[in-house]
Amino acid sequence: YLYTAVTLVIVQYNIILIMDGSWLSHTLGSSAQLFVLIIMPFYLHSMLKQLRDAKIAAEAATKAKSNFLATMSHEIRTPMSGIIGMAHLLQSTRPNNQQREYIKALLDASKSLHALIDDILDFSKIEANKLHLQNSPFHLQQTINEVVTVLSPNAECHSLDLVVSIDPKLPASLVGDAQRIKQIVFNLLGNAIKFTEKGEVVLTIS
């Protein structure tokens, strides 16, 4: 299209120059303008080619990154499933109350890590426009507790009190994407603990 347009412009330009006699009275200026008309499309074509090559390279890099993330997340998921399986086996060995709490914390942490691995896959899905939010019932208190259980040891290491306040007017069961909600709360609380020097971190849900 570019070359076709240029050809038509040059032909029309020469016809106008011939008809009004500009070739004879302004030979140098007319020649310079014609030269620009001929050179400009080649310059534009060069720029468009560079842009197209850059776009192809960027798409290839994005695809390679997505493939890498997908492969690594699948590789990590196998040993992670083994850890979760062993934690479930520990639960069946009649542990005492303290051990039961430790096993539950291990399970919650393992499940959260497993979810983070799924998040890595989500990046690939987002880039491919294939990410879909879930819309299913979940228990709000249990969802929040799973996040708090994982982050509580971190808060204790920073000598911080981690306080959770859930509005009693909220229904116990909600419908939505519990995993995404956990992601959001996990990131918010994690950053709050990281950047709070002393005192407490309060999570208020209303």
Side-chain angles (χ1 to χ4, degrees), residues 77-135:
R77 188 178 283 181
T78 300
M80 195 68 251
S81 297
I83 294 172
I84 294 174
M86 291 303 297
H88 280 298
L89 286 176
L90 277 174
Q91 273 187 326
S92 64
T93 59
R94 297 181 180 178
N96 58 41
N97 291 335
Q98 187 178 24
Q99 290 172 331
R100 191 177 294 108
E101 290 181 6
Y102 290 160
I103 294 171
K104 184 180 183 303
L106 175 61
L107 273 172
D108 289 340
S110 299
K111 290 177 182 178
S112 295
L113 182 56
H114 200 281
L116 289 175
I117 296 171
D118 290 336
D119 294 345
I120 297 174
L121 281 175
D122 287 346
F123 286 116
S124 301
K125 293 179 182 178
I126 289 171
E127 290 176 346
N129 292 321
K130 293 181 179 179
L131 180 65
H132 300 289
L133 294 177
Q134 300 297 319
N135 194 30

Side-chain angles (χ1 to χ4, degrees), residues 2-205:
L2 179 62
Y3 287 130
T4 301
V6 170
T7 302
L8 291 173
V9 168
I10 292 175
V11 170
Q12 292 171 353
Y13 180 71
N14 280 281
I15 291 174
I16 293 172
L17 291 179
I18 293 172
M19 290 179 63
D20 68 1
S22 295
W23 271 121
L24 298 176
S25 57
H26 302 92
T27 304
L28 183 61
S30 299
S31 299
Q33 292 177 9
L34 181 61
F35 178 76
V36 171
L37 285 175
I38 296 173
I39 293 298
M40 185 59 70
F42 289 98
Y43 174 74
L44 291 175
H45 180 269
S46 175
M47 293 295 101
L48 289 172
K49 185 177 184 302
Q50 291 182 35
L51 180 62
R52 184 172 62 251
D53 292 345
K55 180 175 179 290
I56 292 173
E59 289 175 346
T62 299
K63 184 176 181 181
K65 181 187 70 176
S66 298
N67 290 338
F68 172 77
L69 290 175
T71 301
M72 288 302 299
S73 60
H74 281 300
E75 291 295 329
I76 297 172
R77 188 178 283 181
T78 300
M80 195 68 251
S81 297
I83 294 172
I84 294 174
M86 291 303 297
H88 280 298
L89 286 176
L90 277 174
Q91 273 187 326
S92 64
T93 59
R94 297 181 180 178
N96 58 41
N97 291 335
Q98 187 178 24
Q99 290 172 331
R100 191 177 294 108
E101 290 181 6
Y102 290 160
I103 294 171
K104 184 180 183 303
L106 175 61
L107 273 172
D108 289 340
S110 299
K111 290 177 182 178
S112 295
L113 182 56
H114 200 281
L116 289 175
I117 296 171
D118 290 336
D119 294 345
I120 297 174
L121 281 175
D122 287 346
F123 286 116
S124 301
K125 293 179 182 178
I126 289 171
E127 290 176 346
N129 292 321
K130 293 181 179 179
L131 180 65
H132 300 289
L133 294 177
Q134 300 297 319
N135 194 30
S136 54
F138 68 94
H139 194 278
L140 179 61
Q141 183 75 51
Q142 178 182 344
T143 300
I144 299 303
N145 285 344
E146 289 177 3
V147 177
V148 172
T149 300
V150 175
L151 291 177
S152 289
N154 195 18
E156 291 177 4
C157 290
H158 288 76
S159 299
L160 298 172
D161 293 327
L162 184 55
V163 181
V164 179
S165 175
I166 300 179
D167 190 339
K169 296 179 181 178
L170 287 176
S173 181
L174 299 172
V175 176
D177 196 325
Q179 183 57 41
R180 306 293 170 224
I181 292 174
K182 283 197 290 186
Q183 287 175 358
I184 295 169
V185 175
F186 191 91
N187 286 327
L188 289 173
L189 280 181
N191 284 331
I193 293 171
K194 180 179 179 180
F195 295 106
T196 302
E197 295 183 356
K198 60 181 180 179
E200 62 183 14
V201 173
V202 181
L203 171 64
T204 303
I205 302 175

